[in-house]
């Protein structure tokens, strides 16, 4: 039997990227073993439950320190033993220790054309800077915030009448296409994450 390419998806909120990954999984070579949220109220948890995917809530507030939170997160992930850890709107910066533990196995989607605009409020900053092109990046997670090697990108034009909301919507539409494609490409070995020195 072929080895199943199982992934764990980490979320914090709406989970529209998770939904795109769920929808595409039915015609793909990967399966979602579990969804973990660091927010109990994350809407994305319902998306997973509706699809019969195991869900776990691990909130930092339940622990005395970030270290203990990450230890619990790491233990849960290790039990699930995924081939890939997919951050999809997971709004928590992971420590270098955590990243090292899962070296080369964690990917993230970020709403900008990295290395431009790491961090938060990317759409607003792009508008303020009067940029003409914006977009989305999928990258390997390293200890540098939004700084790991880029795996794939897609660009959108910024329109003169764009608002944060309209721009975010167009970028998100591209996110929903590119993220399942990248995960599928990893699942079938079309893209390989080399043992990147993080
Ligand atoms: C997405 O736009 C994702 O790129 C972004 O959060 C949103 C989550 O939406 N992630 C980051 O900003 C990470 N730095 P979703 O919960 O609907 O998938």
């Amino acid at each position: 039997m072929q080895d199943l390419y199982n992934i764990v998806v980490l979320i914090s909120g709406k989970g529209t990227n998770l939904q795109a990954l769920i929808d595409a999984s039915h015609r793909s070579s990967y399966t979602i073993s579990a969804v973990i949220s660091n927010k109990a109220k994350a809407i994305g948890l319902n998306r997973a439950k509706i699809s019969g995917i195991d869900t776990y809530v691990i909130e930092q507030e339940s622990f005395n320190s970030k270290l203990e939170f990450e230890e619990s997160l790491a233990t849960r992930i290790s039990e699930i033993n995924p081939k890939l850890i997919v951050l999809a709107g997971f709004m928590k910066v992971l420590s270098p220790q955590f990243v090292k533990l899962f070296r080369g196995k964690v990917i993230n989607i970020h709403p900008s054309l990295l290395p431009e605009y790491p961090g938060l409020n990317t759409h607003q900053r792009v508008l303020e800077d009067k940029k003409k092109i914006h977009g989305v990046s999928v990258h390997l997670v390293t200890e540098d915030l939004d700084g790991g090697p880029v795996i794939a990108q897609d660009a959108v034009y910024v329109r003169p009448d764009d608002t944060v909301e309209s721009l975010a919507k167009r970028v998100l539409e591209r996110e929903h296409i590119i993220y399942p494609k990248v995960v599928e490409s990893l699942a079938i070995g079309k893209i390989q994450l080399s043992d990147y020195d993080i």
Side-chain angles (χ1 to χ4, degrees), residues 7-162:
I7 69 170
V8 167
V9 183
L10 270 56
I11 62 165
S12 301
K14 285 205 296 267
T16 64
N17 276 291
L18 166 66
Q19 189 66 58
L21 289 163
I22 293 172
D23 294 344
S25 70
H26 304 306
R27 50 178 189 279
S28 300
S29 309
Y30 65 88
T31 184
I32 303 174
S33 291
V35 170
I36 304 176
S37 173
N38 69 324
K39 295 285 169 201
K41 288 188 177 155
I43 295 170
L45 286 167
N46 296 332
R47 298 179 188 274
K49 283 178 192 154
I50 288 168
S51 297
I53 299 167
D54 288 345
T55 60
Y56 303 94
V57 174
I58 304 176
E59 293 187 297
Q60 185 170 328
E61 295 72 24
S62 312
F63 298 89
N64 289 324
S65 64
K66 183 168 179 183
L67 183 68
E68 285 180 29
F69 159 72
E70 285 194 342
E71 276 172 1
S72 173
L73 187 61
T75 302
R76 176 60 72 197
I77 293 173
S78 299
E79 281 165 6
I80 300 163
N81 194 23
K83 292 264 195 308
L84 186 72
I85 300 157
V86 178
L87 310 187
F90 185 68
M91 304 308 278
K92 175 74 75 186
V93 178
L94 294 165
S95 71
Q97 290 79 359
F98 185 95
V99 172
K100 278 209 175 78
L101 206 55
F102 297 103
R103 178 192 167 96
K105 282 180 73 172
V106 189
I107 63 170
N108 181 42
I109 190 155
H110 181 77
S112 80
L113 292 173
L114 291 171
E116 291 204 313
Y117 303 102
L120 298 173
N121 304 321
T122 58
H123 311 301
Q124 183 164 348
R125 287 153 61 207
V126 162
L127 288 176
E128 282 168 3
D129 290 350
K130 301 197 184 329
K131 290 280 180 178
K132 293 204 163 62
I133 293 182
H134 184 32
V136 50
S137 305
V138 177
H139 66 96
L140 188 63
V141 172
T142 66
E143 51 206 10
D144 301 330
L145 179 66
D146 299 325
V150 170
I151 300 167
Q153 289 183 314
D154 197 5
V156 302
Y157 285 110
V158 181
R159 297 172 185 158
D161 59 348
D162 258 328

